[in-house]
Amino acid sequence: MYEADTMDYAVAIAKGIEDIAINDGLSTIGEMFDADALTDAINKALSRKEIVGQSKANKYHAVTATFSSDSQLKEILQRASQKRVRVLLPYWAGDGCQPETCINPETRIIEKCKPEDMFCAHWCGIKFAESSQTEATVQLYEGNQSATSTYFDISSLANSNFCLSDQMYWKGYFDILTDNNEILSITKALRSRASKLKKPPFKQIFIDESEQQWNPSSSIPPIEIANLRNKVILIGKNADPPQGVSTATPPAVEDTPAASAPAQQTASTGGTE
């Protein structure tokens, strides 16, 4: 274990979560397009002393919470800040890892991104900005091999979540790859995963362009059903949940595992993961 070194410890936990997700068929290469599945993998990791250490095993847990407006997201963040709960949010990163509002300038309606562009969906950690950041409301941090930290208002970040699609078309991700061996390796992993996909409630289903069950022998990449919009994951210390949040919000303390762990992207873009 790496408990003496916070960053190494966080990386070890993140790697443990990723390994569990892949072994359980919840993930292909470390990506995660189902919030409930990621919550499941996190809880398994937090229960294992070989990942989090003897003193912290079974001390923390994660839950999936829902929100439907920026005001609800703000309320969740306020309660999380009070209880020292860590918050993970899936959002549309777009070019340069910047959240896009995805609002049509003419209709002012939030439009979902295309399934083939869902490789730009990322997981990030969010919390209220420090008081010195007078023009910002939320601090967003993400990354694996190269971490980033940026500030945004809650409305912009909420909109970036609302524009996520309900589907991830793997062809869009393959189109940005230049290494054929990498494409073949990921295709093989997808086929292997298709044979052990979890049953509901995870709803991790592969379909083809005709919306039929994807045939693993097909040369056309699958479309994966996504469960990210209106979702956040809360990670905290085991305790009786407080009242007033749409789902259990576990209180946490300052040494919450994964507090400084880099948030995983839902799909690698060759930069941060």
Side-chain angles (χ1 to χ4, degrees):
M1 291 304 300
Y2 301 91
E3 293 188 60
D5 186 323
T6 302
M7 181 54 70
D8 283 347
Y9 181 47
V11 170
I13 294 175
K15 182 63 167 60
I17 295 171
E18 182 178 289
D19 289 345
I20 288 171
I22 293 175
N23 290 336
D24 286 358
L26 306 176
S27 175
T28 309
I29 53 174
E31 84 295 342
M32 190 67 75
F33 291 100
D34 188 311
D36 293 328
L38 179 53
T39 295
D40 181 70
I42 290 172
N43 282 327
K44 285 185 177 180
L46 294 179
S47 71
R48 298 184 182 179
K49 61 183 179 181
E50 67 271 20
I51 295 177
V52 298
Q54 179 71 45
S55 64
K56 294 179 179 177
N58 296 305
K59 189 177 180 181
Y60 304 89
H61 73 284
V63 295
T64 304
T66 61
F67 68 98
S68 58
S69 66
D70 55 357
S71 61
Q72 288 185 342
L73 178 60
K74 180 179 180 180
E75 179 183 0
I76 289 174
L77 286 173
Q78 287 174 328
R79 292 180 177 273
S81 178
Q82 294 168 358
K83 300 296 183 180
R84 300 189 185 278
V85 168
R86 310 302 177 180
V87 182
L88 299 179
L89 173 81
Y91 77 105
W92 169 252
D95 294 335
C97 292
Q98 301 296 315
E100 300 287 343
T101 59
C102 295
I103 297 179
N104 185 303
E106 296 181 358
T107 64
R108 305 304 299 169
I109 296 175
I110 298 174
E111 298 179 341
K112 290 187 290 185
C113 69
K114 297 178 181 179
E116 56 265 35
D117 293 331
M118 272 289 281
F119 66 87
C120 288
H122 292 204
W123 280 98
C124 67
I126 56 172
K127 65 178 182 179
F128 277 119
E130 300 295 333
S131 57
S132 60
Q133 299 291 334
T134 57
E135 297 182 358
T137 306
V138 178
Q139 181 182 11
L140 177 157
Y141 52 98
E142 69 156 276
N144 185 343
Q145 298 175 7
S146 57
T148 62
S149 177
T150 325
Y151 295 89
F152 297 95
D153 62 80
I154 288 180
S155 178
S156 174
L157 198 55
N159 285 339
S160 73
N161 173 275
F162 297 151
C163 79
L164 293 173
S165 174
D166 295 318
Q167 298 180 344
M168 153 64 178
Y169 191 8
W170 277 87
K171 182 180 182 300
Y173 181 49
F174 286 167
D175 286 344
I176 70 170
L177 299 179
T178 57
D179 187 337
N180 287 331
N181 289 331
E182 184 177 4
I183 293 175
L184 291 174
S185 175
I186 296 174
T187 300
K188 181 179 179 180
L190 285 169
R191 289 170 175 166
S192 175
R193 180 177 161 216
S195 66
K196 56 179 180 180
L197 283 178
K198 290 286 186 178
K199 296 180 180 179
F202 299 131
K203 301 178 182 177
Q204 291 186 269
I205 301 171
F206 286 165
I207 59 176
D208 59 26
E209 291 178 319
S210 62
E211 298 191 353
Q212 301 299 312
Q213 187 73 29
W214 180 64
N215 184 344
S217 64
S218 172
S219 60
I220 301 176
I223 298 170
E224 182 170 351
I225 302 302
N227 175 36
L228 299 176
R229 198 168 61 253
N230 304 105
K231 304 290 185 179
V232 292
I233 294 177
L234 310 173
I235 308 173
K237 190 175 181 180
N238 289 326
D240 292 331
Q243 301 298 314
V245 178
S246 59
T247 191
T249 306
V253 294
E254 293 183 358
D255 64 342
T256 303
S260 41
Q264 299 290 313
Q265 291 184 191
T266 51
S268 171
T269 60
T272 57
E273 182 180 58

